[in-house]
Amino acid sequence: MTMISAASEGEAGPVSRPRLGLRQWAARTNWVLGLILLAWFVLVIVPLAVLFSFSFFETKSYFTIYRPSLNTWISLFESGRFEVTLRTLRIALTVTLIELLVAYPFALWLAKGCRSKTLRAVLIALLTIPFFLDTSSRTIIWRAILGQNGLVNSLLMQAGLTDAPVEWLLYSEVSVHFGLVVSLFPPMALPIYMAIGLIDDELIKASDDLGATPWQTFSRIVLPLSLPGVMAGVVFTLGPALAAWVEPGMLGGGFVNLLSNSIESAYTALRYPVVAALSTFVILLLLALLGAMMLVARRFGDLSSSFRVLKG
Amino acid sequence: MSAEPMLEAMDVVHRYGLVTALANVSLTAGRGEFLTILGSSGSGKTTLLRVISGLEMPKSVRRLRIGGVDVAGLPPSKRSCTTVFQSYALFPHMSVIENVMYGLRIRNVNREEATRAARQALAMVQLEHKGDRRIAQLSGGERQRVALARAVVTRPSILLLDEPLGALDERLRQDMQLELVQLQRSLGMTFVYITHSQEEALTMSDRVVLMSHGRIVQSGAPLDLFDRPGSRFAAEFMGYENILPGTLRGQDRGYAVVDLPGGVQVRGVAMDAASQPGAAVAVAVRAERLSPGANGPAVSNVLPATLTNKLYRGKYTDLTVATAAGSMRLRRWENTPLGETISSVTWKAEDCVVLAASDKS
């Protein structure tokens, strides 16, 4: 609800004439908003609620027993899934952090440093290409590159740098991290690029003119004004990283068990209440992480004022 | 004004690709001077301002000094001048007072002292009660004042203003003109002010520099530019309504004598010493300096004329008359009788200038 109202306000910002049109349009067609909310409720909230309620059932010899109990949740925490949870959290957070450190400078350069418009257009097009390809086919190719007889090891051995193939390149946490960082780069880089692109060049010039060093201009003007993009990037990266299934499955080779793998094995064992409980658990984890992030961001700067840049 | 100029820019050359934005422009400004750079868009005035502030690095410059310090090649942050941007460029994620103290905070002035100085600067622009507001909550005029306070709070040697009143409405603009001049006087700071409005240039400045196509066309006191334009371009830009073609006949008692088409001789102040008798010249005179009727002092120029059009404009009336030398415009401030007929127009020789017919570029 608040998201939607904030978005429409943001869109209406810079140009004054279309704003009036948009406002009038929105006022006249309030039922459109109602319809969208209803559809969202039916398609997103209801299944989640059903999923959540399923977690209070249990299975006995492949049959779901429809009697409310906490047994599934209790077994969830007793069956040593804490280790899996911690590993999932650690990998998701590490991947998000690496992503942020790599994508932010890239987005900054793309938005403000890159002088050639053609190059910028090409790079943005390249960033969107992964959205057209299936994750599995993009991921499985790394097996051929990172494997024991893969491209990297062949090159290393031919160059005489190692005698035996480097084993940790594939089927390890390193390869899982690597696969996730590669596939989640666009969702981190694009929102940050958009947010930095919205910052008026005159603001940066004004900061220079008032005597700020490049670092001061970055930390006091560019970074705070790009925070909405960073937040969006983190949401779009952290969520998929927590729920990642293809990369840990294909590049972890069974050695890196994450919550998604547990969900999958529970699913194949027809233990739907466990699937439901685990999924709910992942969603709660994500919400808790985002909540913590909001708190940190509020500490760091008045986030709501950062969004004002959208309104010019 | 002291002997050493506050601003010294010698032979600035700048190009954007093949377009010459500044062709050997030299500019100086004294301590406490209000200098206005006047010109239409594309005249190079904004480029010159950006070269001074350091936001633009010129292709070449012989000397660039601010407050006696050589700043050629220095980044904007190392120059003792600040800019009031046309778009104001206020930081949207900071409050009014945070914007104003920005220049002090990045110089590591402690928060208490910076707040005090920022409050003073805000009081100077009559916004002391709005320090905690967000930029989005301010009106255009208030934003303008915040931008001004933010620029002067660090006490730069020179304040550069890039058409700061351009986005304001007429009434507010006139108020702000007065306020800017008062502010400049009380601070004793050198102001370099960019505008395309001759009215702003004339009312505010100590000195006006008129620019066109990357060159300085004329520079002088506002009255000089207003009454003694040195070229046809300057006359047109400064709003001379009547510019008549003619042929220079000679000099008489310090005035140039010009033959106009139709066989009438007029006199005016010669602005182009190089013109020889027989050369094509232009006679320029303002509409409000013309009066109808043939009776006047001996030096007056008289031109037979017939009234062709009358345009009531509220405060004044514009009359168009046809003469043998071409159509002319008169401005009358008093009410004109309804059935008035005009047989001739007349003006004083010192109210009219004789210029070269075409500008040498």
Side-chain angles (χ1 to χ4, degrees), chain A residues 47-57 72-73 76 263 266-267 271-283:
Chain A
L48 276 180
V50 172
L51 183 79
F52 186 59
S53 55
F54 246 81
S55 68
F56 294 103
F57 302 139
T72 306
W73 282 98
L76 196 69
I263 294 176
Y267 181 75
R271 297 172 64 194
Y272 298 125
V274 179
V275 173
L278 277 171
S279 303
T280 309
F281 186 54
V282 171
I283 292 171

PDB file of all heavy atoms in Angstrom, chain A residues 47-57 72-73 76 263 266-267 271-283:
ATOM      1  N   PRO A  47      -1.862 -17.640  -1.250  1.00  0.00           N
ATOM      2  CA  PRO A  47      -0.973 -18.818  -1.283  1.00  0.00           C
ATOM      3  C   PRO A  47       0.013 -18.834  -0.116  1.00  0.00           C
ATOM      4  O   PRO A  47       0.294 -19.908   0.445  1.00  0.00           O
ATOM      5  CB  PRO A  47      -0.231 -18.662  -2.609  1.00  0.00           C
ATOM      6  CG  PRO A  47      -1.092 -17.797  -3.440  1.00  0.00           C
ATOM      7  CD  PRO A  47      -1.807 -16.893  -2.501  1.00  0.00           C
ATOM      8  N   LEU A  48       0.511 -17.670   0.256  1.00  0.00           N
ATOM      9  CA  LEU A  48       1.449 -17.613   1.386  1.00  0.00           C
ATOM     10  C   LEU A  48       0.756 -18.049   2.669  1.00  0.00           C
ATOM     11  O   LEU A  48       1.332 -18.783   3.486  1.00  0.00           O
ATOM     12  CB  LEU A  48       2.005 -16.193   1.544  1.00  0.00           C
ATOM     13  CG  LEU A  48       3.192 -15.826   0.660  1.00  0.00           C
ATOM     14  CD1 LEU A  48       3.635 -14.399   0.925  1.00  0.00           C
ATOM     15  CD2 LEU A  48       4.350 -16.791   0.901  1.00  0.00           C
ATOM     16  N   ALA A  49      -0.497 -17.588   2.822  1.00  0.00           N
ATOM     17  CA  ALA A  49      -1.253 -17.958   4.017  1.00  0.00           C
ATOM     18  C   ALA A  49      -1.502 -19.469   4.037  1.00  0.00           C
ATOM     19  O   ALA A  49      -1.360 -20.135   5.076  1.00  0.00           O
ATOM     20  CB  ALA A  49      -2.579 -17.199   4.065  1.00  0.00           C
ATOM     21  N   VAL A  50      -1.849 -20.038   2.859  1.00  0.00           N
ATOM     22  CA  VAL A  50      -2.068 -21.487   2.764  1.00  0.00           C
ATOM     23  C   VAL A  50      -0.772 -22.224   3.094  1.00  0.00           C
ATOM     24  O   VAL A  50      -0.760 -23.193   3.870  1.00  0.00           O
ATOM     25  CB  VAL A  50      -2.567 -21.854   1.345  1.00  0.00           C
ATOM     26  CG1 VAL A  50      -2.599 -23.367   1.181  1.00  0.00           C
ATOM     27  CG2 VAL A  50      -3.935 -21.247   1.101  1.00  0.00           C
ATOM     28  N   LEU A  51       0.332 -21.705   2.537  1.00  0.00           N
ATOM     29  CA  LEU A  51       1.647 -22.302   2.796  1.00  0.00           C
ATOM     30  C   LEU A  51       1.944 -22.299   4.292  1.00  0.00           C
ATOM     31  O   LEU A  51       2.354 -23.318   4.869  1.00  0.00           O
ATOM     32  CB  LEU A  51       2.713 -21.483   2.051  1.00  0.00           C
ATOM     33  CG  LEU A  51       4.154 -21.985   2.138  1.00  0.00           C
ATOM     34  CD1 LEU A  51       4.355 -23.141   1.185  1.00  0.00           C
ATOM     35  CD2 LEU A  51       5.128 -20.877   1.831  1.00  0.00           C
ATOM     36  N   PHE A  52       1.679 -21.142   4.886  1.00  0.00           N
ATOM     37  CA  PHE A  52       1.949 -20.982   6.315  1.00  0.00           C
ATOM     38  C   PHE A  52       1.108 -21.974   7.130  1.00  0.00           C
ATOM     39  O   PHE A  52       1.615 -22.656   8.022  1.00  0.00           O
ATOM     40  CB  PHE A  52       1.644 -19.538   6.723  1.00  0.00           C
ATOM     41  CG  PHE A  52       2.011 -19.222   8.138  1.00  0.00           C
ATOM     42  CD1 PHE A  52       3.325 -19.371   8.580  1.00  0.00           C
ATOM     43  CD2 PHE A  52       1.048 -18.769   9.029  1.00  0.00           C
ATOM     44  CE1 PHE A  52       3.670 -19.084   9.887  1.00  0.00           C
ATOM     45  CE2 PHE A  52       1.394 -18.477  10.346  1.00  0.00           C
ATOM     46  CZ  PHE A  52       2.699 -18.635  10.770  1.00  0.00           C
ATOM     47  N   SER A  53      -0.177 -22.109   6.754  1.00  0.00           N
ATOM     48  CA  SER A  53      -1.035 -23.007   7.539  1.00  0.00           C
ATOM     49  C   SER A  53      -0.628 -24.461   7.334  1.00  0.00           C
ATOM     50  O   SER A  53      -0.730 -25.279   8.242  1.00  0.00           O
ATOM     51  CB  SER A  53      -2.509 -22.800   7.157  1.00  0.00           C
ATOM     52  OG  SER A  53      -2.655 -22.973   5.773  1.00  0.00           O
ATOM     53  N   PHE A  54      -0.102 -24.800   6.160  1.00  0.00           N
ATOM     54  CA  PHE A  54       0.358 -26.164   5.895  1.00  0.00           C
ATOM     55  C   PHE A  54       1.479 -26.563   6.836  1.00  0.00           C
ATOM     56  O   PHE A  54       1.670 -27.743   7.130  1.00  0.00           O
ATOM     57  CB  PHE A  54       0.834 -26.291   4.437  1.00  0.00           C
ATOM     58  CG  PHE A  54      -0.014 -27.202   3.624  1.00  0.00           C
ATOM     59  CD1 PHE A  54      -1.216 -26.748   3.088  1.00  0.00           C
ATOM     60  CD2 PHE A  54       0.359 -28.524   3.402  1.00  0.00           C
ATOM     61  CE1 PHE A  54      -2.014 -27.589   2.347  1.00  0.00           C
ATOM     62  CE2 PHE A  54      -0.448 -29.377   2.663  1.00  0.00           C
ATOM     63  CZ  PHE A  54      -1.639 -28.913   2.131  1.00  0.00           C
ATOM     64  N   SER A  55       2.244 -25.559   7.293  1.00  0.00           N
ATOM     65  CA  SER A  55       3.392 -25.886   8.136  1.00  0.00           C
ATOM     66  C   SER A  55       2.952 -26.397   9.511  1.00  0.00           C
ATOM     67  O   SER A  55       3.773 -26.872  10.277  1.00  0.00           O
ATOM     68  CB  SER A  55       4.299 -24.655   8.289  1.00  0.00           C
ATOM     69  OG  SER A  55       3.644 -23.664   9.057  1.00  0.00           O
ATOM     70  N   PHE A  56       1.668 -26.267   9.806  1.00  0.00           N
ATOM     71  CA  PHE A  56       1.186 -26.769  11.104  1.00  0.00           C
ATOM     72  C   PHE A  56       0.563 -28.162  10.998  1.00  0.00           C
ATOM     73  O   PHE A  56      -0.041 -28.652  11.929  1.00  0.00           O
ATOM     74  CB  PHE A  56       0.182 -25.776  11.714  1.00  0.00           C
ATOM     75  CG  PHE A  56       0.832 -24.469  12.070  1.00  0.00           C
ATOM     76  CD1 PHE A  56       0.668 -23.361  11.266  1.00  0.00           C
ATOM     77  CD2 PHE A  56       1.654 -24.388  13.191  1.00  0.00           C
ATOM     78  CE1 PHE A  56       1.300 -22.178  11.585  1.00  0.00           C
ATOM     79  CE2 PHE A  56       2.283 -23.198  13.504  1.00  0.00           C
ATOM     80  CZ  PHE A  56       2.096 -22.085  12.699  1.00  0.00           C
ATOM     81  N   PHE A  57       0.703 -28.776   9.811  1.00  0.00           N
ATOM     82  CA  PHE A  57       0.307 -30.183   9.676  1.00  0.00           C
ATOM     83  C   PHE A  57       1.559 -31.020   9.746  1.00  0.00           C
ATOM     84  O   PHE A  57       2.666 -30.519   9.893  1.00  0.00           O
ATOM     85  CB  PHE A  57      -0.430 -30.407   8.340  1.00  0.00           C
ATOM     86  CG  PHE A  57      -1.655 -29.538   8.177  1.00  0.00           C
ATOM     87  CD1 PHE A  57      -1.947 -28.935   6.969  1.00  0.00           C
ATOM     88  CD2 PHE A  57      -2.517 -29.337   9.260  1.00  0.00           C
ATOM     89  CE1 PHE A  57      -3.071 -28.128   6.831  1.00  0.00           C
ATOM     90  CE2 PHE A  57      -3.646 -28.538   9.122  1.00  0.00           C
ATOM     91  CZ  PHE A  57      -3.927 -27.937   7.903  1.00  0.00           C
ATOM     92  N   THR A  72       5.913 -30.291  13.130  1.00  0.00           N
ATOM     93  CA  THR A  72       6.804 -30.004  12.004  1.00  0.00           C
ATOM     94  C   THR A  72       7.833 -28.934  12.368  1.00  0.00           C
ATOM     95  O   THR A  72       9.020 -29.071  12.090  1.00  0.00           O
ATOM     96  CB  THR A  72       5.981 -29.547  10.790  1.00  0.00           C
ATOM     97  OG1 THR A  72       4.983 -30.528  10.527  1.00  0.00           O
ATOM     98  CG2 THR A  72       6.869 -29.375   9.575  1.00  0.00           C
ATOM     99  N   TRP A  73       7.348 -27.903  13.008  1.00  0.00           N
ATOM    100  CA  TRP A  73       8.256 -26.828  13.411  1.00  0.00           C
ATOM    101  C   TRP A  73       9.274 -27.317  14.438  1.00  0.00           C
ATOM    102  O   TRP A  73      10.456 -26.976  14.362  1.00  0.00           O
ATOM    103  CB  TRP A  73       7.471 -25.639  14.008  1.00  0.00           C
ATOM    104  CG  TRP A  73       6.828 -24.789  12.947  1.00  0.00           C
ATOM    105  CD1 TRP A  73       5.540 -24.832  12.528  1.00  0.00           C
ATOM    106  CD2 TRP A  73       7.469 -23.786  12.156  1.00  0.00           C
ATOM    107  NE1 TRP A  73       5.308 -23.921  11.541  1.00  0.00           N
ATOM    108  CE2 TRP A  73       6.483 -23.258  11.289  1.00  0.00           C
ATOM    109  CE3 TRP A  73       8.765 -23.286  12.083  1.00  0.00           C
ATOM    110  CZ2 TRP A  73       6.753 -22.254  10.365  1.00  0.00           C
ATOM    111  CZ3 TRP A  73       9.027 -22.276  11.177  1.00  0.00           C
ATOM    112  CH2 TRP A  73       8.039 -21.771  10.324  1.00  0.00           C
ATOM    113  N   LEU A  76      11.770 -29.399  12.834  1.00  0.00           N
ATOM    114  CA  LEU A  76      12.620 -28.549  11.979  1.00  0.00           C
ATOM    115  C   LEU A  76      13.842 -28.039  12.744  1.00  0.00           C
ATOM    116  O   LEU A  76      14.963 -28.047  12.237  1.00  0.00           O
ATOM    117  CB  LEU A  76      11.779 -27.365  11.487  1.00  0.00           C
ATOM    118  CG  LEU A  76      12.326 -26.585  10.311  1.00  0.00           C
ATOM    119  CD1 LEU A  76      12.268 -27.434   9.061  1.00  0.00           C
ATOM    120  CD2 LEU A  76      11.519 -25.310  10.104  1.00  0.00           C
ATOM    121  N   ILE A 263      14.509 -27.874   1.196  1.00  0.00           N
ATOM    122  CA  ILE A 263      13.137 -27.770   0.695  1.00  0.00           C
ATOM    123  C   ILE A 263      12.930 -28.773  -0.421  1.00  0.00           C
ATOM    124  O   ILE A 263      11.948 -29.499  -0.466  1.00  0.00           O
ATOM    125  CB  ILE A 263      12.841 -26.338   0.198  1.00  0.00           C
ATOM    126  CG1 ILE A 263      12.869 -25.359   1.376  1.00  0.00           C
ATOM    127  CG2 ILE A 263      11.494 -26.275  -0.503  1.00  0.00           C
ATOM    128  CD1 ILE A 263      12.695 -23.913   0.993  1.00  0.00           C
ATOM    129  N   ALA A 266      12.777 -32.342   0.834  1.00  0.00           N
ATOM    130  CA  ALA A 266      11.512 -32.572   1.519  1.00  0.00           C
ATOM    131  C   ALA A 266      10.384 -32.702   0.504  1.00  0.00           C
ATOM    132  O   ALA A 266       9.469 -33.519   0.655  1.00  0.00           O
ATOM    133  CB  ALA A 266      11.216 -31.422   2.478  1.00  0.00           C
ATOM    134  N   TYR A 267      10.491 -31.914  -0.548  1.00  0.00           N
ATOM    135  CA  TYR A 267       9.479 -31.930  -1.588  1.00  0.00           C
ATOM    136  C   TYR A 267       9.458 -33.278  -2.296  1.00  0.00           C
ATOM    137  O   TYR A 267       8.407 -33.869  -2.516  1.00  0.00           O
ATOM    138  CB  TYR A 267       9.787 -30.801  -2.568  1.00  0.00           C
ATOM    139  CG  TYR A 267       8.813 -30.683  -3.698  1.00  0.00           C
ATOM    140  CD1 TYR A 267       7.550 -30.138  -3.476  1.00  0.00           C
ATOM    141  CD2 TYR A 267       9.146 -31.108  -4.985  1.00  0.00           C
ATOM    142  CE1 TYR A 267       6.646 -30.029  -4.518  1.00  0.00           C
ATOM    143  CE2 TYR A 267       8.253 -31.002  -6.023  1.00  0.00           C
ATOM    144  CZ  TYR A 267       6.995 -30.450  -5.800  1.00  0.00           C
ATOM    145  OH  TYR A 267       6.118 -30.354  -6.819  1.00  0.00           O
ATOM    146  N   ARG A 271       6.986 -34.509   1.701  1.00  0.00           N
ATOM    147  CA  ARG A 271       6.684 -34.004   3.046  1.00  0.00           C
ATOM    148  C   ARG A 271       6.323 -32.517   2.934  1.00  0.00           C
ATOM    149  O   ARG A 271       7.111 -31.631   3.249  1.00  0.00           O
ATOM    150  CB  ARG A 271       7.886 -34.236   3.950  1.00  0.00           C
ATOM    151  CG  ARG A 271       8.184 -35.723   4.106  1.00  0.00           C
ATOM    152  CD  ARG A 271       9.469 -35.957   4.825  1.00  0.00           C
ATOM    153  NE  ARG A 271       9.410 -35.460   6.206  1.00  0.00           N
ATOM    154  CZ  ARG A 271      10.472 -35.302   6.964  1.00  0.00           C
ATOM    155  NH1 ARG A 271      11.660 -35.589   6.486  1.00  0.00           N
ATOM    156  NH2 ARG A 271      10.349 -34.864   8.197  1.00  0.00           N
ATOM    157  N   TYR A 272       5.109 -32.259   2.474  1.00  0.00           N
ATOM    158  CA  TYR A 272       4.681 -30.884   2.202  1.00  0.00           C
ATOM    159  C   TYR A 272       4.704 -29.968   3.424  1.00  0.00           C
ATOM    160  O   TYR A 272       5.070 -28.803   3.319  1.00  0.00           O
ATOM    161  CB  TYR A 272       3.296 -30.877   1.542  1.00  0.00           C
ATOM    162  CG  TYR A 272       3.313 -31.575   0.215  1.00  0.00           C
ATOM    163  CD1 TYR A 272       2.438 -32.621  -0.061  1.00  0.00           C
ATOM    164  CD2 TYR A 272       4.235 -31.206  -0.766  1.00  0.00           C
ATOM    165  CE1 TYR A 272       2.472 -33.278  -1.279  1.00  0.00           C
ATOM    166  CE2 TYR A 272       4.274 -31.867  -1.976  1.00  0.00           C
ATOM    167  CZ  TYR A 272       3.391 -32.901  -2.233  1.00  0.00           C
ATOM    168  OH  TYR A 272       3.442 -33.555  -3.429  1.00  0.00           O
ATOM    169  N   PRO A 273       4.286 -30.450   4.590  1.00  0.00           N
ATOM    170  CA  PRO A 273       4.374 -29.557   5.759  1.00  0.00           C
ATOM    171  C   PRO A 273       5.796 -29.068   6.016  1.00  0.00           C
ATOM    172  O   PRO A 273       6.004 -27.918   6.386  1.00  0.00           O
ATOM    173  CB  PRO A 273       3.868 -30.425   6.906  1.00  0.00           C
ATOM    174  CG  PRO A 273       2.955 -31.384   6.257  1.00  0.00           C
ATOM    175  CD  PRO A 273       3.595 -31.702   4.934  1.00  0.00           C
ATOM    176  N   VAL A 274       6.797 -29.935   5.794  1.00  0.00           N
ATOM    177  CA  VAL A 274       8.188 -29.514   5.982  1.00  0.00           C
ATOM    178  C   VAL A 274       8.553 -28.454   4.944  1.00  0.00           C
ATOM    179  O   VAL A 274       9.193 -27.444   5.255  1.00  0.00           O
ATOM    180  CB  VAL A 274       9.142 -30.733   5.880  1.00  0.00           C
ATOM    181  CG1 VAL A 274      10.575 -30.286   6.046  1.00  0.00           C
ATOM    182  CG2 VAL A 274       8.775 -31.763   6.921  1.00  0.00           C
ATOM    183  N   VAL A 275       8.121 -28.696   3.694  1.00  0.00           N
ATOM    184  CA  VAL A 275       8.350 -27.701   2.638  1.00  0.00           C
ATOM    185  C   VAL A 275       7.766 -26.359   3.070  1.00  0.00           C
ATOM    186  O   VAL A 275       8.419 -25.318   2.993  1.00  0.00           O
ATOM    187  CB  VAL A 275       7.693 -28.157   1.310  1.00  0.00           C
ATOM    188  CG1 VAL A 275       7.790 -27.039   0.265  1.00  0.00           C
ATOM    189  CG2 VAL A 275       8.338 -29.421   0.797  1.00  0.00           C
ATOM    190  N   ALA A 276       6.526 -26.412   3.565  1.00  0.00           N
ATOM    191  CA  ALA A 276       5.836 -25.192   3.968  1.00  0.00           C
ATOM    192  C   ALA A 276       6.573 -24.500   5.102  1.00  0.00           C
ATOM    193  O   ALA A 276       6.801 -23.284   5.075  1.00  0.00           O
ATOM    194  CB  ALA A 276       4.404 -25.511   4.385  1.00  0.00           C
ATOM    195  N   ALA A 277       6.975 -25.282   6.098  1.00  0.00           N
ATOM    196  CA  ALA A 277       7.643 -24.687   7.255  1.00  0.00           C
ATOM    197  C   ALA A 277       8.977 -24.070   6.842  1.00  0.00           C
ATOM    198  O   ALA A 277       9.319 -22.955   7.249  1.00  0.00           O
ATOM    199  CB  ALA A 277       7.862 -25.740   8.329  1.00  0.00           C
ATOM    200  N   LEU A 278       9.737 -24.788   6.011  1.00  0.00           N
ATOM    201  CA  LEU A 278      11.041 -24.272   5.573  1.00  0.00           C
ATOM    202  C   LEU A 278      10.873 -22.998   4.752  1.00  0.00           C
ATOM    203  O   LEU A 278      11.607 -22.027   4.937  1.00  0.00           O
ATOM    204  CB  LEU A 278      11.761 -25.346   4.745  1.00  0.00           C
ATOM    205  CG  LEU A 278      12.510 -26.413   5.538  1.00  0.00           C
ATOM    206  CD1 LEU A 278      12.978 -27.530   4.603  1.00  0.00           C
ATOM    207  CD2 LEU A 278      13.714 -25.797   6.247  1.00  0.00           C
ATOM    208  N   SER A 279       9.891 -23.010   3.835  1.00  0.00           N
ATOM    209  CA  SER A 279       9.676 -21.824   2.995  1.00  0.00           C
ATOM    210  C   SER A 279       9.302 -20.631   3.860  1.00  0.00           C
ATOM    211  O   SER A 279       9.807 -19.521   3.676  1.00  0.00           O
ATOM    212  CB  SER A 279       8.572 -22.090   1.976  1.00  0.00           C
ATOM    213  OG  SER A 279       8.903 -23.215   1.213  1.00  0.00           O
ATOM    214  N   THR A 280       8.377 -20.875   4.803  1.00  0.00           N
ATOM    215  CA  THR A 280       7.979 -19.805   5.712  1.00  0.00           C
ATOM    216  C   THR A 280       9.191 -19.267   6.460  1.00  0.00           C
ATOM    217  O   THR A 280       9.377 -18.055   6.622  1.00  0.00           O
ATOM    218  CB  THR A 280       6.941 -20.319   6.718  1.00  0.00           C
ATOM    219  OG1 THR A 280       5.892 -20.960   5.998  1.00  0.00           O
ATOM    220  CG2 THR A 280       6.375 -19.177   7.544  1.00  0.00           C
ATOM    221  N   PHE A 281      10.046 -20.209   6.884  1.00  0.00           N
ATOM    222  CA  PHE A 281      11.235 -19.848   7.628  1.00  0.00           C
ATOM    223  C   PHE A 281      12.148 -18.940   6.785  1.00  0.00           C
ATOM    224  O   PHE A 281      12.657 -17.916   7.266  1.00  0.00           O
ATOM    225  CB  PHE A 281      11.968 -21.124   8.047  1.00  0.00           C
ATOM    226  CG  PHE A 281      13.140 -20.879   8.941  1.00  0.00           C
ATOM    227  CD1 PHE A 281      12.985 -20.143  10.110  1.00  0.00           C
ATOM    228  CD2 PHE A 281      14.386 -21.383   8.615  1.00  0.00           C
ATOM    229  CE1 PHE A 281      14.077 -19.925  10.948  1.00  0.00           C
ATOM    230  CE2 PHE A 281      15.476 -21.143   9.439  1.00  0.00           C
ATOM    231  CZ  PHE A 281      15.324 -20.428  10.598  1.00  0.00           C
ATOM    232  N   VAL A 282      12.317 -19.292   5.495  1.00  0.00           N
ATOM    233  CA  VAL A 282      13.165 -18.475   4.607  1.00  0.00           C
ATOM    234  C   VAL A 282      12.573 -17.077   4.460  1.00  0.00           C
ATOM    235  O   VAL A 282      13.284 -16.064   4.528  1.00  0.00           O
ATOM    236  CB  VAL A 282      13.312 -19.150   3.213  1.00  0.00           C
ATOM    237  CG1 VAL A 282      13.993 -18.206   2.230  1.00  0.00           C
ATOM    238  CG2 VAL A 282      14.107 -20.434   3.340  1.00  0.00           C
ATOM    239  N   ILE A 283      11.234 -17.015   4.295  1.00  0.00           N
ATOM    240  CA  ILE A 283      10.586 -15.699   4.140  1.00  0.00           C
ATOM    241  C   ILE A 283      10.791 -14.866   5.400  1.00  0.00           C
ATOM    242  O   ILE A 283      11.113 -13.674   5.336  1.00  0.00           O
ATOM    243  CB  ILE A 283       9.080 -15.884   3.840  1.00  0.00           C
ATOM    244  CG1 ILE A 283       8.910 -16.503   2.456  1.00  0.00           C
ATOM    245  CG2 ILE A 283       8.351 -14.543   3.902  1.00  0.00           C
ATOM    246  CD1 ILE A 283       7.499 -16.932   2.148  1.00  0.00           C
TER     247      ILE A 283
END
